[in-house]
Amino acid sequence: MKEEFIEAGEYERTGEILETVELTITIPEAGTRITCKDPSGLDQSPVPEIIPASDRYAIAEVSENGVERKEAYWKTYNTLVYYSDVTFEAGKSYTVFGRVQASPGYIFNDPVTLIINGEEVPSEQVEDYSLEGDSFTFYFDIEIR
């Protein structure tokens, strides 16, 4: 177990350092349709199904008007626009965006090694580490079969 204490200005972070995060993203079936009317993406459906390999971290949750959902979306990487009225087609790739949250007592190494569906994600697709070291975001392309 590796513990870290970092003093950055007035902020300190402590906890067991997580150097690797492993996730499994369930690949949706061809023909699945994504809907989204809210520009913030909060009503997007279906929500990408992302399964953490450990209880040391989870997909973060966001709450809007008393409704909670996982902070995971289908979203274009280059324009950051949420997919809406899109039907998944076999052989095409679609981008999943998600925010991973560390469980209490854990912090993420910066950079963290992220493995999704057995594939290491390039470091430029893992970003927005929180100052506390307890969360980060990622983008990952899923090919529909």
Side-chain angles (χ1 to χ4, degrees):
M1 170 161 55
K2 199 165 143 187
E3 293 262 343
E4 183 169 288
F5 173 84
I6 295 177
E7 190 172 330
E10 296 180 25
Y11 187 77
E12 302 169 355
R13 60 182 223 168
T14 60
E16 183 179 338
I17 299 171
L18 300 173
E19 295 182 6
T20 303
V21 169
E22 292 187 54
L23 305 171
T24 299
I25 299 176
T26 303
I27 300 172
E29 292 183 23
T32 301
R33 185 163 184 77
I34 301 172
T35 60
C36 182
K37 302 291 182 225
D38 187 335
S40 67
L42 292 174
D43 68 343
Q44 188 181 63
S45 179
V47 176
E49 185 179 344
I50 306 171
I51 304 156
S54 169
D55 62 359
R56 297 176 181 184
Y57 47 85
I59 300 304
E61 294 195 354
V62 63
S63 181
E64 179 78 17
N65 297 327
V67 176
E68 285 193 15
R69 65 164 280 157
K70 297 288 184 189
E71 203 165 345
Y73 307 93
W74 297 101
K75 191 173 177 180
T76 60
Y77 181 74
N78 56 349
T79 64
L80 303 179
V81 173
Y82 297 94
Y83 291 126
S84 179
D85 298 322
V86 171
T87 301
F88 290 128
E89 296 179 40
K92 290 194 174 182
S93 290
Y94 300 86
T95 305
V96 174
F97 160 87
R99 187 165 70 91
V100 180
Q101 181 78 44
S103 298
Y106 297 94
I107 58 176
F108 295 114
N109 193 53
D110 182 1
V112 70
T113 299
L114 177 61
I115 298 170
I116 297 179
N117 294 359
E119 178 183 328
E120 187 169 335
V121 177
S123 61
E124 61 270 8
Q125 291 175 227
V126 181
E127 54 192 29
D128 297 335
Y129 290 91
S130 66
L131 288 177
E132 298 85 6
D134 67 349
S135 72
F136 66 87
T137 60
F138 69 87
Y139 292 90
F140 187 77
D141 291 333
I142 294 290
E143 184 176 337
I144 305 302
R145 298 182 197 138

